[in-house]
Structure formats: C-alpha cells, structure tokens
Amino acid sequence: MTAAETLPTELTVGYRMTAAGASAQGTLPLSTLVADVIQVATDHANALGVGYSRLIEDGNSWVLSRLTIEVDRMPRINEDYSLTTWIEGFNRHFSERNFELRASGVTIGYMRTVWVAINVATRRPADLSGISHLQSTVSDRRCPIEPQRRIPSPPADMADVYEVIFRSSDIDFNRHVTTTRYMELAVDSLPLELYDRAYTRRFEIAFRHEARWGEAARVITAPVDDDAMDYVTSVALADGTQLCSVRHTLQPVQ
Amino acid sequence: MTAAETLPTELTVGYRMTAAGASAQGTLPLSTLVADVIQVATDHANALGVGYSRLIEDGNSWVLSRLTIEVDRMPRINEDYSLTTWIEGFNRHFSERNFELRASGVTIGYMRTVWVAINVATRRPADLSGISHLQSTVSDRRCPIEPQRRIPSPPADMADVYEVIFRSSDIDFNRHVTTTRYMELAVDSLPLELYDRAYTRRFEIAFRHEARWGEAARVITAPVDDDAMDYVTSVALADGTQLCSVRHTLQPVQ
C-alpha cells in the first residue's frame, strides 16, 4: 500500500432480495441491510489494507459507533440491489464511511457510519496514526443525508418497556451482542401493524456500551412526536448503563 | 417444463463465511446455515418450475416441516463453503430434499428436509398432483445421514424454561414466526460456554404449528443424556400448543 492511485476509493457489492429473507411487508429487513453495510465496509477496509488483520497488528479493532439510515423505500422481493461505500473523513480517532443504496438501478437511500478503533485489551479508543495512508483514500463525494443528531432519551413517564436477556445467538466473535440484534430490539419495540402502514424513513442508532452473554436489558421506547411517527428507543442494563440509543422516524406508505 | 432431461436434478450455490456474520466461536451460525438451506431449496424449486409462483396458482405454498442437520464441523471465518441440493423423494403430500455442505473443497455435513404443500387459505395439506412432473427430477443420489427420529418431549420435572414474545422482526412474509428464529430459540436454550467446548454434531427440528405476532411462547429444554451432551427443546404456547420440537446433540471440540 504505497501509491494512493492504486487504492479503490469506492466499492460496490450487489445483492438479490429473496422471499425467504423478507420482512412481513415483503421488503429487506433493516437488520439485514445493516448486516450488508457492515460486510461491505469490512470488504472495503480489507481492500484498503486497513481491515481487521492490519488493525490487530497494533492490538486494535474497528467498532461501529454511529449509524444513520435514510431511505425512500426498501428493496422488495426478487429485486436486485447494491451498496456502494466510500470514506468521507478520517482522523486519528475515527473514520466516517458512507453508503449509497440502489435498487433496480435507482438510488433509494443513503447510510452514514462512524467507526472508532479501540484497543482490544483495554477497550479504550486507539490511536490510528499507524494507518495514516487511509487519509489518501478519502473521497470528495458528498453524502446528501444529514449527519446523526443528538438522540434524546425516552421520557420515563410515557415509555413502553420490554425486557430481554442476551443469549448465545446474540453474541458475535468479539463476545459482545451483535449490531443486528440491537437493530431488531429497536424495530421490535413497535407493533407489526405499524409497519403495514408506514415504512422506516430515517433510522439513527448510537452504540454506547458493549453487552455480554447473560446480561438482562430493558428496551424503552417513547414517541417524540406521535403524529409524525417519530420514536426514540433506549436499550439499557438494569443499573441504567445505556447500551444504545435509537431515533426511528416512519412515514405512511403511499 | 416438458422433457425430464432439461431439468437440473442438482443445484450448487457458493458462499463465503465472514467475520461479521460469525458466531461467538468464529463459525457459521446454525440459523445462517438454515437460511442458506431455505434459499438454495427455493432457487432449485424455482428452476424446476415448482417454486412459489407455480404453487400459488393452485392456492398452495411450501412449508418446511422437518429439518435434520449433521456436520463434522461448521465453516470458519474467511472460508468458502457451498450447498448442493437434490430431491430424494416426492409424493402427492410432501417432498424430501437433501443438501451436502462442503467447505474448502471437502464435504463437512449433510442436511435432510421435508416440505409439505399447504393451502394458503385453509392452512390444510394440499394435493400436489398438479406438479407431478417433479417426480422426474427425483435423484438416485443417497444422503448418508439418518432420517429424523421421533423427538421426545422434555420431561417437565427436569426442564429449563424461558419465555419469549414474538415481535415484529420475528415475522416473515407469510405473517408467521421465521424458521431462523425457531433455530435461535433452541440454540439459545444452552449457555454460551457450552458452545466454546462443544459443537453441534446433529440438530433435528420438527415444525408443528405456526405462531403469529404478539404471541408468547415458552422455550423448554432438558438433557436426554447429560454425558452425551444430548438435549431436547420444545417451544410451546401458554395453552400447551407445541410450535416446534428440537433434538440437539453436541460433541466436544478436539
């Protein structure tokens, strides 16, 4: 990895949406989209020589810190879709990576992600100056959706709560609860019939603390604005430690 | 679809196991393997002209009734793997479809599945004589693993129980709880540390009744034989209606 011109500043991966993997509404589930986003990010980081193998040489690993999704619609059953990723910004503490979602040849959404490198032993933020060549792969391409805003906490007096215990299939190779499970917890805080009449227009999630096998969490959801179908969700341990915060804005299906 | 010789009696699909999708042990999760199995079965049925589109002309749909998995090991991170499927038997009520799992060019397991066609309106078994051309696609190839045995119920006096409520992300396009969610419920009835020292050698699941959004279920697990790491799990509604039965046999990691 020496000459900047040899590094691919974008990567596109194609997928096919199948009936077997569809949501109840016949569209790509939000958690599957995010699994794809993580996969494309991983593939691109590997192609740039800043993937898992390179970071672990310094005892570091990438952790997804923030994710923002904004879509006009989701891919439908039997539809081909693709994700294109590029790096918007990079400094010694974190990297910003964006994604374009296309289906049937048309752009239908964008995602923004923020990744922090942490030391795997101390779980503290790492210093990324060892991979400063990544700077040369920053793209001029802009992402047209707004960056993530501060996510308010659900007000305690008007919150719905359900409890979960994290079990074996919720745990990833880092021994923490998976990103897709957190996505599902937030999606699951709203009833199925809502998703029949409204789709996810914007979804913001901030990951705050890593949870482990056997821990019990409370999923707390409240409307920010009932009329606008705008909700905030917090997933927290019993001692109040917040695991993640979500803001989920839906829009009526036409 | 006229001449038998034009129909592909086998279909092989290739995959790559990635770190982002790995279990805590760095291997392919059982639920992902089953999602792949359903996908390959769907693709092959479509290629044979007996897929969803053809069955729905008669008001019918395929439902997975029984699944048996037996593996020497699971695909590992960064390993390529493939699934090959063929039809072992077919009559007017159900079809038997097998799968070979290969990784790094070596056979590491087999799956047996039994599919029943049901009428989507009545949810009763359908008559498949309208697609009798499927008979000509039955393969002579044998599957070396034993068919599914009768799965005993967990004895009530030595059972571990946990409760779940089925939520939005658990529901598929047929408005029922997904196959992968049932797989996870059974996997999750055993502790993470067990999967660190033993892998799934054989997994049998029989689907008995379809569950819907908002229903509450009890996951009941007991050892058949503690020394042999052999367990049975039942997922049942509060009224005792059994949703699925599982027998899960693990083997110590070398």
Side-chain angles (χ1 to χ4, degrees):
Chain A
M1 290 298 163
T2 48
E5 44 280 351
T6 66
L7 296 174
T9 57
E10 293 197 358
L11 177 70
T12 298
V13 177
Y15 301 88
R16 166 155 266 216
M17 172 65 208
T18 63
S23 72
Q25 292 74 37
T27 55
L28 185 70
L30 214 51
S31 59
T32 308
L33 175 62
V34 171
D36 293 341
V37 157
I38 293 171
Q39 187 54 53
V40 176
T42 303
D43 288 350
H44 194 219
N46 286 339
L48 296 176
V50 295
Y52 175 80
S53 307
R54 173 61 190 86
L55 261 67
I56 206 70
E57 290 174 21
D58 301 331
N60 299 330
S61 185
W62 289 114
V63 171
L64 181 58
S65 170
R66 289 204 295 274
L67 165 71
T68 304
I69 299 170
E70 206 172 295
V71 293
D72 299 326
R73 65 174 182 86
M74 275 293 204
R76 303 184 186 107
I77 290 174
N78 291 334
E79 198 172 24
D80 290 320
Y81 66 98
S82 69
L83 285 167
T84 298
T85 188
W86 70 96
I87 298 174
E88 173 177 316
F90 169 78
N91 63 31
R92 64 189 290 173
H93 297 302
F94 62 87
S95 131
E96 293 173 286
R97 177 182 281 289
N98 301 327
F99 303 81
E100 179 189 14
L101 173 64
R102 294 171 69 86
S104 298
V106 175
T107 300
I108 59 171
Y110 288 94
M111 277 71 67
R112 288 178 172 273
T113 57
V114 176
W115 300 78
V116 176
I118 63 159
N119 182 282
V120 292
T122 65
R123 313 308 293 178
R124 299 290 306 158
D127 185 342
L128 289 175
S129 38
I131 54 166
S132 57
H133 79 271
L134 190 55
Q135 193 65 54
S136 67
T137 67
V138 170
S139 170
D140 289 335
R141 186 173 177 180
R142 296 275 62 86
C143 185
I145 65 169
E146 288 296 311
Q148 190 169 117
R149 305 160 287 183
R150 196 189 66 80
I151 301 173
S153 292
D157 60 340
M158 53 184 299
D160 282 330
V161 175
Y162 74 93
E163 309 233 340
V164 292
I165 294 175
F166 296 119
R167 299 185 189 274
S168 298
S169 66
D170 298 327
I171 306 300
D172 67 16
F173 190 49
N174 292 315
R175 315 296 288 193
H176 300 129
V177 172
T178 63
T179 301
T180 51
R181 187 72 182 121
Y182 285 123
M183 302 289 295
E184 289 174 346
L185 292 178
V187 166
D188 287 354
S189 68
L190 299 174
L192 189 62
E193 64 82 19
L194 177 60
Y195 297 109
D196 289 336
R197 56 191 172 85
Y199 71 96
T200 297
R201 170 68 181 156
R202 186 173 164 102
F203 189 98
E204 299 171 297
I205 183 166
F207 301 96
R208 307 206 183 278
H209 190 83
E210 295 161 333
R212 293 167 187 277
W213 183 86
E215 289 188 304
R218 304 169 73 217
V219 183
I220 307 157
T221 294
V224 179
D225 182 339
D226 250 330
D227 292 337
M229 294 196 283
D230 193 14
Y231 302 89
V232 283
T233 296
S234 163
V235 181
L237 299 179
D239 68 4
T241 304
Q242 204 172 40
L243 301 175
C244 67
S245 307
V246 172
R247 183 165 187 158
H248 191 179
T249 309
L250 294 94
Q251 193 159 301
V253 174
Q254 300 302 317
Chain B
M1 292 297 161
T2 48
E5 44 280 353
T6 66
L7 296 174
T9 56
E10 293 197 1
L11 176 71
T12 298
V13 177
Y15 301 88
R16 165 155 268 216
M17 171 66 207
T18 64
S23 71
Q25 291 74 38
T27 56
L28 186 70
L30 215 50
S31 59
T32 307
L33 175 63
V34 171
D36 293 342
V37 157
I38 293 172
Q39 187 54 54
V40 175
T42 303
D43 288 351
H44 193 218
N46 286 338
L48 296 176
V50 295
Y52 175 81
S53 307
R54 173 61 189 88
L55 261 67
I56 205 70
E57 289 174 22
D58 301 332
N60 299 331
S61 185
W62 290 115
V63 171
L64 181 58
S65 171
R66 289 202 297 273
L67 165 70
T68 304
I69 299 170
E70 206 172 296
V71 294
D72 298 326
R73 65 172 181 88
M74 276 291 203
R76 303 184 185 107
I77 290 174
N78 291 334
E79 198 172 26
D80 290 321
Y81 66 97
S82 70
L83 285 167
T84 298
T85 188
W86 70 96
I87 298 174
E88 172 177 318
F90 170 77
N91 65 30
R92 66 189 289 174
H93 296 302
F94 63 87
S95 132
E96 292 173 287
R97 178 182 279 287
N98 302 328
F99 303 81
E100 179 191 14
L101 172 64
R102 294 172 68 85
S104 298
V106 176
T107 300
I108 59 171
Y110 287 95
M111 277 71 67
R112 288 178 171 272
T113 58
V114 177
W115 299 78
V116 177
I118 63 160
N119 183 284
V120 292
T122 64
R123 312 309 292 179
R124 300 290 306 158
D127 185 342
L128 289 175
S129 38
I131 55 166
S132 57
H133 79 272
L134 190 55
Q135 193 65 52
S136 67
T137 67
V138 171
S139 170
D140 288 335
R141 185 173 179 180
R142 297 273 65 83
C143 186
I145 66 169
E146 288 297 310
Q148 189 168 118
R149 306 160 286 183
R150 196 189 65 80
I151 300 173
S153 292
D157 60 340
M158 52 183 300
D160 282 329
V161 176
Y162 74 92
E163 309 234 340
V164 292
I165 295 175
F166 296 120
R167 300 185 188 273
S168 298
S169 64
D170 299 327
I171 306 300
D172 67 16
F173 191 47
N174 292 316
R175 315 296 285 195
H176 299 129
V177 172
T178 62
T179 301
T180 51
R181 188 71 181 121
Y182 284 123
M183 302 289 296
E184 289 174 346
L185 292 179
V187 167
D188 287 353
S189 68
L190 299 174
L192 188 63
E193 63 83 19
L194 177 60
Y195 297 110
D196 289 336
R197 56 191 172 88
Y199 72 96
T200 297
R201 168 70 180 155
R202 186 172 164 103
F203 189 98
E204 299 172 297
I205 183 166
F207 300 96
R208 308 209 182 277
H209 190 84
E210 296 161 331
R212 293 167 187 276
W213 184 86
E215 290 189 303
R218 303 170 72 218
V219 183
I220 307 157
T221 293
V224 179
D225 182 340
D226 248 330
D227 292 337
M229 292 195 284
D230 192 13
Y231 302 89
V232 283
T233 296
S234 162
V235 182
L237 299 179
D239 68 4
T241 304
Q242 204 171 39
L243 302 175
C244 68
S245 307
V246 172
R247 183 164 186 159
H248 191 179
T249 309
L250 294 94
Q251 192 158 300
V253 173
Q254 299 302 317

